Amino acid sequence: MKKLFQKVMQTPVSISLPLPILYALRRPTILGLKLSIVILMNLSLLILRSSVSLAQIAEIRALLPQLQRQTNVRIFLPRDLTIPGERIYVNGQASTDGYGISLGTHPQCQSNSCWIGSLGATRGQRPPADFKQVPLARGITGYYFAHPRRTSILYWVYDGVLYGIQLKIGEQEIIDIANSAIEETLGN
């Protein structure tokens, strides 16, 4: 796509196209055609990204029955999880006192090079005292930290369980995802 975009933008304005109807187009119209192509390319990228993010959340939701059988804690999942970039692989595990969902660029990712983020919970744990407090939905207090490697970490406590999200995104984006998970899980 990038090469196509570059090629379109580098094409001289005095282009002669093989279609007879385009020979009659004026220069401003050809520029408009180029702009339309760029807009269509951007829209297709947005549609592709949104369909990838919907597939990612669908994969995470597919883990729910397995995780719910193994754990006694409520599972908080966001309505949507938009992670730009390539395909994301999802792995989950649970115990009676918690669960963990790992996101990576490779199946069974076990290293930092393919790790994208995680969602999880542990009963009886407390958030780190030195994290910045941020307000979340339903009056819940969140605890935020920006890791030096551009990973945002956000914790909150609900019903004696410490919930956490770690993703390679910004502060407001992770707060929005946490609020979505809180609203989606606790309902209206």
Side-chain angles (χ1 to χ4, degrees), residues 39-83:
I39 290 170
L40 286 173
M41 289 171 43
N42 285 331
L43 285 174
S44 64
L45 287 173
L46 287 173
I47 291 168
L48 177 65
R49 279 189 178 175
S50 67
S51 63
V52 168
S53 70
L54 292 176
Q56 291 165 3
I57 199 68
E59 284 185 30
I60 294 171
R61 290 193 187 287
L63 285 174
L64 271 178
Q66 170 197 342
L67 296 175
Q68 287 172 331
R69 281 191 304 271
Q70 298 172 342
T71 190
N72 293 327
V73 302
R74 186 183 299 243
I75 298 174
F76 279 78
L77 290 181
R79 206 171 296 112
D80 180 27
L81 186 59
T82 303
I83 302 172

Side-chain angles (χ1 to χ4, degrees), residues 146-152 167-170:
H147 191 273
R149 292 194 179 184
R150 296 187 212 148
T151 300
S152 289
L167 291 169
K168 293 182 178 183
I169 58 176

